[in-house]
Amino acid sequence: MASEEHTVVHYVEKPDTRIPPDFIEEILLRLPISSLLKLRRVCKQWRNMISDPHFIMEHAYRAPKHLLLYLPKVDLPASLCSKTLKCRATIIDEKWSPWTWAALHMDPDDHLFASCNGLLCFYKTYTLKIANPATGQCLHLLKPDGIMLHDFHYLYSFGFHPTSREYKLVHFLREPQRYKSGQPFHFNTIQVYTLGEDKWRDIRVPRPCCMVNLGVVTVDGSMYWLTEDEETGCGMSVASFDLREETFASIQLPPFEVKEIASCATPKIACYITEIDGKVCIVTIPYQSHIPRWRRYNTELSGRMDIWALESQTEHKWFLKYSIQSPSVHRYVPQPCFIHRERIILQDRDGNAWYHDLAGKNVQIEHREEVKLLDIGAYRFYETQSYFYKETLIPLSVYAGAAIVCAPPRPLAPPVA
Amino acid sequence: MAAEKGEKGAAAKEVAGERMVTLESSDGEEFHMSEAAAQLSTLLRHVIEGGGIDNGIPLPKVAARTLEKVIMYCEKHAKAAAKSDSDPSAAAGSSSDNTAAASEDLEKWDRKLVNGLSQDALFDLIVAADYLVIDGLLDATCRKVADMMKGKTPDEIRKIFNILNDFTKEEEEEMRREYAWAFDD
């Protein structure tokens, strides 16, 4: 019958053992990346199909969404044992099993700041790095000119617009003259880099912004953050930036009940921004006055946490998605995405991470209903970041020719399942 | 239980109080299917709504052995849908234990159905599911073929699916170098 590969092989014509040609794509779309990378070698038709941008986009769309927990590196003090814990990434898959990404080579100064369509963005001391761990491709980019000092990972974000199919990095250019340690992050300008272009562009913000709680999410091609807004009753509003049109909009916060009159100076509600089920959401928690509003550390649950989802980007209508009562024990949530597949991720001060079902709109968190997810050991629980991640074949090599790319890509090994 | 949509001009037969439709396979065999089950096929649903199906619906693209499996799938899923509709606990909350277990059982049944088919019968079922526009069946059958590919080397894939390797040795070597860590065969 069949002999070795590479010689011309004449197979006996077996009836219908060949996949109907119209359905090869449908079948390949249902395979994980690890299989697809191997199957590129079967024949030219399959290789061309798997490398086709349309196929890659459709596969990315159907890929299961996972939760990625990122723990920044920790320098343990000499009193403890004087060593450094490297930054760590853990994936929580569909079965809620955590697997640590041993093969994802992160340098010690890598700080994850965004995850989009399988692309992870890292802040480094002198550059930015975008990597697709599934394919091993990697891109190093120069930061905007002159940005070296007083720059932080939370001043960067990354997003994708489904219609223009462009990826953009956004840097919130903090006002230098207003910089003082412990002060909020005011900015009048954002700096935008479109993947494939040669340089960063400055875009003036129509109204000066002050980033509140430093969370940025991108949903349906628009980037959202919270800003101080003196013209509103609660002192805040949601700012949005359309990644295709590069225009700004302002969205009023949801109509949450404010027991006492709030103002910028004496806020009563702490607000955070997140994404749940593909919608921008605002999280409100009773305000704890000793915590500044621009803190970058994670939220402690207290009282009743309300979560409002933006129903429509055009109509600016919100609906109350969850009303969550805190438990009697201390619990914190990682940022920005802490609700996934109808469960909430919670952390305690001892390094434990849990998940708890959100069965309906009104939920009371009970310790006995928490399921242990993992133990983060000596990492700082209040610095845990959480993003959505999916394995995709999105290529980065197509953007490698731009002038801004500054170091040759280094191949990374794939995650071990 | 059976949908009311088929009333327009259709004099569908009734069996034990359930409206039935007659289907004719490409090789001339006649099959009967409840109208509720036929609703799972978008194509059949439109044909029934259009009326004029007194003499049965001819399906020249679907052979008897394939049509038999299609009907099995549709009847099973229609029955499961009817059961969950009449289940009061399903109406109350989104994920009660009953509905989760029921859908798991249904998935197991689907897997058993596709596992029992020969390769060419499986492909015929894919084509039929697509033609009749039965999304769930198309998904189950395609996933089965995808599962057959997991963990196999490219050479094994070529043997199973009768595919010619049209790469030169140089091209193969280049691909091996590009993704060296992906080729653990």
Side-chain angles (χ1 to χ4, degrees):
Chain A
M1 236 199 64
S3 50
E4 311 96 292
E5 338 169 21
H6 310 306
T7 59
V8 175
V9 177
H10 295 289
Y11 285 98
V12 173
E13 203 63 60
K14 290 181 260 186
D16 301 312
T17 55
R18 280 186 280 204
I19 304 172
D22 292 341
F23 298 96
I24 296 174
E25 188 174 329
E26 272 303 313
I27 291 159
L28 293 181
L29 281 170
R30 287 167 167 82
L31 281 159
I33 303 287
S34 50
S35 296
L36 289 177
L37 290 171
K38 260 195 249 176
L39 294 175
R40 290 164 83 252
R41 256 203 326 157
V42 168
C43 65
K44 286 185 178 167
Q45 183 200 24
W46 287 31
R47 181 198 60 188
N48 296 341
M49 197 174 274
I50 292 167
S51 313
D52 180 64
H54 165 92
F55 175 88
I56 291 175
M57 225 37 259
E58 183 61 35
H59 186 275
Y61 178 70
R62 295 192 197 196
K65 200 158 106 170
H66 302 312
L67 200 61
L68 189 163
L69 294 177
Y70 173 80
L71 302 163
K73 77 169 179 152
V74 172
D75 292 311
L76 295 171
S79 54
L80 218 55
C81 57
S82 191
K83 74 166 186 189
T84 299
L85 291 175
K86 291 204 302 197
C87 57
R88 204 171 91 182
T90 303
I91 296 280
I92 314 287
D93 66 15
E94 307 101 277
K95 298 193 196 79
W96 290 88
S97 311
W99 36 277
T100 302
W101 241 343
L104 175 65
H105 295 151
M106 293 187 288
D107 301 319
D109 69 334
D110 280 357
H111 200 122
L112 184 64
F113 67 82
S115 164
C116 173
N117 286 355
L119 302 176
L120 296 179
C121 298
F122 296 94
Y123 171 94
K124 297 167 82 72
T125 317
Y126 302 110
T127 57
L128 300 172
K129 177 170 91 176
I130 303 179
N132 183 334
T135 63
Q137 292 185 354
C138 190
L139 212 58
H140 288 252
L141 304 166
L142 291 168
K143 289 193 204 170
D145 288 339
I147 301 299
M148 288 296 191
L149 301 173
H150 310 311
D151 195 27
F152 303 97
H153 71 273
Y154 42 80
L155 295 177
Y156 287 88
S157 194
F158 180 72
F160 171 75
H161 196 288
T163 314
S164 68
R165 303 242 166 145
E166 286 178 326
Y167 291 93
K168 293 187 182 175
L169 278 163
V170 172
H171 175 234
F172 299 96
L173 184 57
R174 209 165 96 177
E175 293 296 297
Q177 58 270 30
R178 295 185 71 168
Y179 172 72
K180 255 185 342 191
S181 181
Q183 288 298 303
F185 301 94
H186 286 93
F187 59 94
N188 291 317
T189 308
I190 61 169
Q191 297 175 303
V192 178
Y193 174 69
T194 306
L195 285 196
E197 286 182 357
D198 282 329
K199 53 189 180 149
W200 291 83
R201 292 172 288 112
D202 284 358
I203 298 180
R204 200 116 185 116
V205 182
R207 285 155 49 184
C209 277
C210 167
M211 285 197 64
V212 177
N213 297 118
L214 308 167
V216 185
V217 293
T218 301
V219 170
D220 284 341
S222 284
M223 204 172 265
Y224 297 86
W225 63 89
L226 278 164
T227 181
E228 279 190 350
D229 190 341
E230 282 151 9
E231 292 171 26
T232 65
C234 54
M236 286 180 285
S237 64
V238 174
S240 84
F241 177 63
D242 184 309
L243 289 174
R244 186 179 66 164
E245 305 297 321
E246 296 192 347
T247 52
F248 296 85
S250 186
I251 303 171
Q252 263 197 311
L253 284 181
F256 43 79
E257 47 179 88
V258 180
K259 296 219 170 67
E260 297 148 63
I261 304 297
S263 71
C264 250
T266 55
K268 299 300 168 194
I269 301 274
C271 282
Y272 302 86
I273 202 160
T274 185
E275 179 207 326
I276 305 173
D277 295 337
K279 288 197 160 37
V280 184
C281 294
I282 292 292
V283 181
T284 64
I285 299 182
Y287 191 70
Q288 290 157 309
S289 57
H290 62 282
I291 299 163
R293 277 221 294 212
W294 45 85
R295 66 171 303 179
R296 66 180 181 89
Y297 298 130
N298 292 343
T299 320
E300 177 172 7
L301 258 63
S302 79
R304 194 185 82 209
M305 175 199 256
D306 282 345
I307 302 182
W308 300 79
L310 185 65
E311 192 175 301
S312 146
Q313 281 182 283
T314 44
E315 288 171 29
H316 295 182
K317 272 210 306 226
W318 303 86
F319 68 94
L320 185 60
K321 195 171 167 76
Y322 293 113
S323 222
I324 301 173
Q325 287 288 352
S326 311
S328 48
V329 287
H330 288 288
R331 286 293 180 264
Y332 299 79
V333 286
Q335 302 276 22
C337 303
F338 58 92
I339 290 183
H340 180 52
R341 294 177 194 265
E342 289 172 25
R343 286 178 173 163
I344 183 172
I345 309 295
L346 300 161
Q347 291 178 276
D348 66 14
R349 292 171 173 170
D350 303 315
N352 298 305
W354 318 78
Y355 69 78
H356 187 291
D357 280 344
L358 298 172
K361 188 166 103 174
N362 295 305
V363 181
Q364 166 72 56
I365 303 288
E366 301 275 7
H367 175 58
R368 62 168 186 268
E369 280 167 34
E370 288 177 319
V371 179
K372 177 95 177 270
L373 200 50
L374 53 104
D375 187 344
I376 66 171
Y379 287 92
R380 300 197 188 102
F381 67 90
Y382 50 87
E383 288 188 333
T384 310
Q385 290 167 234
S386 49
Y387 298 94
F388 293 126
Y389 171 77
K390 39 167 74 172
E391 283 196 314
T392 70
L393 287 168
I394 307 279
L396 286 168
S397 43
V398 291
Y399 307 113
I404 205 177
V405 176
C406 60
R410 217 164 34 90
L412 301 169
V416 177
Chain B
M1 198 159 110
E4 263 64 54
K5 289 191 190 140
E7 270 165 75
K8 188 177 155 190
K13 297 198 201 105
E14 286 220 17
V15 173
E18 225 188 291
R19 292 156 72 95
M20 305 291 283
V21 294
T22 308
L23 307 167
E24 197 182 310
S25 70
S26 58
D27 31 4
E29 250 188 77
E30 243 186 37
F31 291 86
H32 300 289
M33 185 183 194
S34 74
E35 216 182 271
Q39 297 286 323
L40 264 80
S41 154
T42 307
L43 184 93
L44 292 177
R45 186 157 34 108
H46 288 154
V47 170
I48 293 169
E49 281 172 13
I53 56 158
D54 302 10
N55 301 321
I57 306 172
L59 299 173
K61 291 194 180 172
V62 189
R65 67 157 188 185
T66 309
L67 189 50
E68 185 186 20
K69 300 291 182 223
V70 169
I71 292 172
M72 272 173 70
Y73 176 90
C74 292
E75 292 285 8
K76 175 77 180 178
H77 279 248
K79 231 178 244 138
K83 202 164 166 207
S84 76
D85 279 348
S86 59
D87 179 5
S89 65
S94 53
S95 46
S96 72
D97 287 331
N98 284 335
T99 36
S103 85
E104 217 181 283
D105 283 341
L106 202 56
E107 268 179 49
K108 275 201 192 114
W109 187 93
D110 287 352
R111 274 201 295 273
K112 205 165 156 210
L113 175 73
V114 296
N115 285 344
L117 299 171
S118 67
Q119 198 164 308
D120 54 308
L122 180 59
F123 293 151
D124 284 346
L125 195 52
I126 288 180
V127 176
D130 177 68
Y131 168 66
L132 293 166
V133 195
I134 308 171
D135 288 343
L137 184 57
L138 181 64
D139 186 48
T141 46
C142 284
R143 266 194 285 127
K144 168 67 187 171
V145 182
D147 286 345
M148 284 164 68
M149 292 184 190
K150 282 181 192 166
K152 302 257 184 344
T153 67
D155 198 39
E156 285 167 339
I157 301 276
R158 288 187 208 111
K159 288 198 167 71
I160 295 169
F161 298 107
N162 201 357
I163 300 169
L164 183 64
N165 180 5
D166 54 353
F167 287 118
T168 65
K169 205 160 178 138
E170 292 76 33
E171 283 168 334
E172 277 222 335
E173 231 355 271
E174 201 194 306
M175 280 195 290
R176 206 184 284 267
R177 264 183 279 118
E178 200 186 339
Y179 287 117
W181 40 263
F183 303 135
D184 50 0
D185 45 15

